[in-house]
């Protein structure tokens, strides 16, 4: 008898339930014990570490193997596009302004489309000219990035208008009009 099973290590909570029987590498037909188990289905309600035991065989030829499965929380990379009116021709914008209420912080921003005049440094977009910039946000959770999400948003930066007018050097009122 062999109670071997593959520990999936990190599991994203939104990938559950997990059928543990699919992880058995030893003798099949045993039983599972641990929290949040229904038969061989593992479906925890919250992220955390869970000790799960697989037992196969009968006494005196019974074998058990307990392993820890770490369930990591799901992540959300949802962004909203933005139109920045009347910005300086060069400057910086906080990219966290693109977050929704559900967006998971501490991800990585990348400028995907640019003429080379924009870069993302941390959560700040630095731009040298007005224009449209395609921004990607990627966020993970767990030490190996078990849960991953990404989204793309667009930031359109319009330059401040530069009003211009000329004042005539002389005004003639003799005919009731000005020229």
């Amino acid at each position: 008898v062999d109670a071997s099973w593959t520990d999936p290590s990190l599991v994203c909570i939104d990938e559950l339930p997990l059928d543990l029987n699919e992880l058995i590498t030893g003798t099949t037909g045993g039983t599972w014990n641990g929290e949040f188990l229904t038969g061989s289905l593992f479906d925890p309600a919250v992220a955390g570490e869970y000790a799960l035991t697989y037992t196969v065989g009968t006494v005196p030829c019974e074998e058990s193997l307990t392993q820890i499965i770490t369930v990591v929380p799901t992540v959300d990379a949802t962004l909203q596009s933005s139109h920045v009116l009347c910005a300086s021709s060069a400057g910086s914008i906080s990219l966290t302004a693109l977050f929704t209420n559900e967006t998971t912080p501490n991800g990585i921003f990348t400028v995907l489309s640019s003429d080379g005049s924009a870069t993302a440094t941390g959560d700040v977009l630095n731009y040298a000219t007005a224009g449209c910039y395609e921004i990607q946000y990627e966020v993970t959770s767990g030490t190996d990035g078990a849960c991953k999400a990404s989204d793309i948003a667009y930031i359109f930066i319009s330059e401040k208008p530069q009003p211009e007018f000329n004042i005539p050097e002389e005004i003639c009122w003799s005919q009731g009009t000005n020229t």
Side-chain angles (χ1 to χ4, degrees):
V1 214
D2 180 4
S4 298
W5 59 283
T6 302
D7 179 358
S9 189
L10 296 175
V11 177
C12 187
I13 199 162
D14 63 357
E15 295 173 354
L16 298 171
L18 177 64
D19 186 351
L20 298 175
N21 282 341
E22 294 176 2
L23 303 176
I24 296 171
T25 58
T27 309
T28 60
T31 58
W32 291 95
N33 286 309
E35 289 184 275
F36 300 107
L37 280 171
T38 304
S40 66
L41 290 180
F42 174 58
D43 195 10
V46 295
E49 291 186 343
Y50 298 93
L52 302 175
T53 302
Y54 178 64
T55 304
V56 66
T58 55
V59 177
C61 296
E62 181 179 83
E63 188 176 311
S64 294
L65 176 61
T66 301
Q67 298 193 70
I68 305 293
I69 294 180
T70 302
V71 177
V72 293
T74 190
V75 292
D76 186 331
T78 305
L79 298 177
Q80 54 194 354
S81 292
S82 178
H83 184 175
V84 181
L85 294 172
C86 301
S88 302
S89 58
S92 61
I93 296 173
S94 172
L95 293 171
T96 58
L98 302 174
F99 285 0
T100 67
N101 290 338
E102 291 78 35
T103 305
T104 305
N106 301 318
I108 298 172
F109 287 98
T110 306
V111 178
L112 297 179
S113 67
S114 168
D115 58 3
S117 65
T119 58
T121 306
D123 61 358
V124 175
L125 173 69
N126 298 299
Y127 62 95
T129 61
C132 186
Y133 300 101
E134 183 178 20
I135 308 296
Q136 179 181 35
Y137 180 65
E138 190 170 74
V139 63
T140 61
S141 71
T143 54
D144 291 339
C147 298
K148 294 179 184 179
S150 67
D151 195 14
I152 292 175
Y154 297 88
I155 298 178
F156 180 70
I157 301 170
S158 300
E159 276 191 46
K160 288 182 182 178
Q162 300 296 322
E164 189 177 304
F165 61 93
N166 294 320
I167 300 176
E169 289 184 27
E170 67 182 61
I171 299 176
C172 182
W173 294 99
S174 63
Q175 298 176 359
T177 62
N178 59 348
T179 57

